[in-house]
Structures are given as C-alpha cells and as structure tokens.
Amino acid sequence: MTQQIPDGTRAGRLPRSARRAQLLEVALQVFVEQGYHAASMDEIAERAGVSKPVVYQHFPGKLDLYLALLESSRDTVIAGVRDALASTSDNRKRVRAVMELWFTYVADEGAAFRLVFESDLTNDPDVRSLVDRVMIESAEAVADVIGEDTSLPEDAAKLLALSLVGMGHVAARTWLSTESTLDKDDAVQLLGQLAWRGIGGFPRDRNEGEE
C-alpha cells in the first residue's frame, strides 16, 4: 500500500533528522513489501514525496539505507531486552518480561521484525553481522544477570542466555506465522513457565530465599 504524503510535503523542507526518519519509515514499508532486491530507490523517493537525489543525500546507496534500518531495529530489540531485565529484580518476572518482549515485538513491530529476521540479503556480511548481533547482544544482556546471580562460569551463562533468547524468538515467530489460536498473553505465560522451570533450577549465590 502506498503511503499517503500530506499536501505540501513534496515542496516543503524538513529538518535533516526528520527527513531521515521519514525516509527510513517509507523504506521499511517498501523493503518489507518487495524484498531488498525488488525495492528501488525511485519508489522510496516517490512514496516519500522527494526527488531521488534527496534520498542519496541521506543514504549513499540502497544497501546503506537497508543497513540503517537494520541498525535501528537491532537497537530497538536490544534496548527492549535491557528494559525488560531492569523492570524488576524478581528473576521469574524477568524471564516472563523477556519472553513478552519477543512476542510484543513480532506482534506490534511486524514490519521491522520481518526486515530483521526474514531478510533476503543475509548473504551480505554486513547484513548477516547486524542480524546476528540482535541475538548475541540480547543474550549478553541476559547472561550478565545470570552471571550476577549464580556461580556459573561466563561461557555457561552465555550459553543459557542464548538458549533463553532463542526460545523466545523462535516461539514468537512461530506463534505469529502459524496464526496460533493462543492469544499473546497465554503464549507468553506458557513460554515463561517453561523457561523459568529450566533457568530457575540453578541456585542463586545471593538472596537464596528469593524466587
């Protein structure tokens, strides 16, 4: 669906940061609808109501624009994981919060989610690196919490964290793609219980009486 440009936008000027944000929003729609290879800078410019040279003023090429979108999506996910972990000191609730983050992301940010995890350009090393960093940096944030609370060595904490993050991300993707009859809250509750029964079995070094 073509984005409607408000009257006067084509002729008007926007601050550089606002124009960049607008171009990213339009490009996200085009890339998700058409895939990287079929998308064109001409269409992105047309939908944004600007000339193609304006697009190139902000992004030297199509790949640069695509990478900027991936970076933004990566930052959104990682910040969400960190916020979920910081939202409570109760580890059971932390597990649920991280699972909820993944389900909320795929449900509410479907376009950005598909751009990150269903990219048709993962053979490009820069794209692959950014996609991988979403999982790795999310797991690193979780591993920090596991390491603080247990006597597990760093590599063990990272492996457990990556397993938790992978569980949430794969389950959320499957829930969305199969159009599950479970609503989001029920799905999060089930996955949170499963994950907690696993990670909750590792004893804490501190506050042993706390769940």
Side-chain angles (χ1 to χ4, degrees):
M1 188 171 93
T2 301
Q3 175 168 314
Q4 298 299 312
I5 304 299
D7 292 341
T9 298
R10 181 178 293 275
R13 290 181 177 271
L14 289 176
R16 184 172 180 83
S17 60
R19 178 65 74 195
R20 178 183 171 87
Q22 181 212 17
L23 291 172
L24 287 171
E25 181 180 354
V26 172
L28 175 61
Q29 296 175 357
V30 175
F31 283 131
V32 169
E33 289 172 11
Q34 302 179 11
Y36 175 82
H37 296 291
S40 72
M41 296 291 266
D42 289 295
E43 180 162 3
I44 291 167
E46 181 180 352
R47 291 201 195 188
V50 300
S51 65
K52 192 160 67 168
V54 170
V55 180
Y56 283 114
Q57 287 174 8
H58 293 267
F59 305 99
K62 186 168 73 168
L63 180 58
D64 299 281
L65 178 50
Y66 192 81
L67 290 172
L69 282 168
L70 283 179
E71 289 174 356
S72 177
S73 297
R74 175 202 61 187
D75 293 345
T76 296
V77 173
I78 294 167
V81 170
R82 289 174 176 157
D83 287 345
L85 293 170
S87 66
T88 177
S89 60
D90 184 317
N91 283 338
R92 184 195 295 269
K93 293 178 180 178
R94 278 175 167 162
V95 168
R96 179 187 169 91
V98 171
M99 296 305 165
E100 187 165 13
L101 175 279
W102 286 108
F103 278 81
T104 299
Y105 181 64
V106 302
D108 297 347
E109 303 290 341
F113 158 75
R114 288 191 292 274
L115 182 79
V116 175
F117 293 111
E118 298 175 4
S119 172
D120 60 351
L121 198 63
T122 52
N123 60 323
D124 181 276
D126 291 331
V127 172
R128 182 73 261 165
S129 176
L130 280 170
V131 172
D132 289 345
R133 290 311 301 175
V134 175
M135 300 296 292
I136 292 169
E137 293 188 33
S138 296
E140 286 174 349
V142 176
D144 287 343
V145 175
I146 294 174
E148 288 172 1
D149 282 352
T150 70
S151 59
L152 291 171
E154 182 179 354
D155 284 349
K158 287 182 178 179
L159 183 59
L160 287 174
L162 189 58
S163 299
L164 286 173
V165 169
M167 179 191 299
H169 143 250
V170 171
R173 288 180 64 184
T174 303
W175 170 78
L176 182 68
S177 64
T178 59
E179 299 181 352
S180 172
T181 57
L182 289 172
D183 66 28
K184 187 181 78 172
D185 288 342
D186 288 341
V188 169
Q189 178 68 18
L190 282 172
L191 202 65
Q193 288 177 344
L194 175 62
W196 176 248
R197 286 177 180 175
I199 196 66
F202 291 90
R204 302 184 65 178
D205 285 345
R206 298 173 297 167
N207 302 318
E208 290 290 341
E210 188 180 322
E211 284 195 334

